[in-house]
Amino acid sequence: MQRRVFGLAVTLATVVAAAGCGSSSSGAGDSASSGGGTTQVKVGVIPIVDVAPLYLGQKKGFFTKRGIDLKMETAQGGAAIVPGVVSGQFQFGFSNVTSLMIAQTKGVPIKSVVNGAATNGKVGADVTGVAVKKDSSIKSAKDLVGKKVAVNTLQNIGDTTVRESVRQAGGDPSKVKFVEMPFDQMPAALDGGQVDAAWMGEPALTIAKGQGARVVASPFAETDPKLTVATYFTSTNLLQQKPDLVKKFTAAMTESLEYASQHPDEARQMLTGYTKISGAVMEKLTLPTWPTEIDMASLQKLASLGEEDGIFGDKKPDLNALFS
């Protein structure tokens, strides 16, 4: 546990340091191309199915028609993207909402600007799940007690919601042993016995199931069937200096979410461009939902769980200031 807390402290110290340096670069203005008034915008993302609408919107020209030349850069998780946005490395970022809450409680100057993804609410068939090997003795979330469970980022939305699944199943969530690793490494780690279970997003979850793994818990859906999982955010610096750019990005992303919701097969096809998956995996993977509106009630529940886990320290996140 001390090691987890130390790792979190280092990450947050980096974020706060970036904010403290003033990150005078608003980023996008310095990257404007010389022709046509197009502005290059970098977005920090995680290579999972949740960000498919962003790539689809780029393909459909929703950003280009608003003068945005979109560039995506990948990271392991939202906790790594936050400092990139604050420093101006990215103008916008995709992050799970818990990472944003943690950053805000540390005084990091960020603001959510548009929804990203939500659970589909289906227990046993959600966009994330805790998977175990076919012959594992683990049958339910309660059996995760005392076991080693992989998550992509410690002290974050993954272990918080996994703990809630364990709690609901009658187990002691404080006795689950979490280890950190990238999603794309989890199927092999699970199959090789390096971990007892792994909380995975898509496409890693479908890849693992193709190796015989089975799902024993659906933490997002079990926490709240309407859980807002992630949003796109920016720095308050960019918001103040370039409000028109933020409005354009938000409008383009909203259009992308709406289009992806109406054309899920097209959204699914986008994965071949930014993940290493086969066509067979692509056809089988589970999609999240992409509502344009954030579910504040679900965020309040998630924040309460985070407070119970002690991931926010002495402060509570101001959800209205961060997400409204």
Side-chain angles (χ1 to χ4, degrees), residues 165-198:
S165 290
V166 173
R167 188 179 293 112
Q168 290 183 14
D172 183 349
S174 69
K175 295 182 179 179
V176 180
K177 304 173 184 176
F178 292 101
V179 295
E180 183 177 284
M181 69 175 59
F183 282 127
D184 61 3
Q185 293 180 17
M186 291 184 189
L190 181 63
D191 193 51
Q194 297 173 29
V195 293
D196 301 305

Side-chain angles (χ1 to χ4, degrees), residues 15-58:
V15 175
V16 175
C21 290
S23 188
S24 57
S25 171
S26 60
D30 301 327
S31 302
S33 63
S34 58
T38 299
T39 300
Q40 185 181 96
V41 170
K42 293 182 179 180
V43 185
V45 297
I46 310 167
I48 56 177
V49 66
D50 303 51
V51 299
L54 180 67
Y55 288 85
L56 183 57
Q58 179 188 46

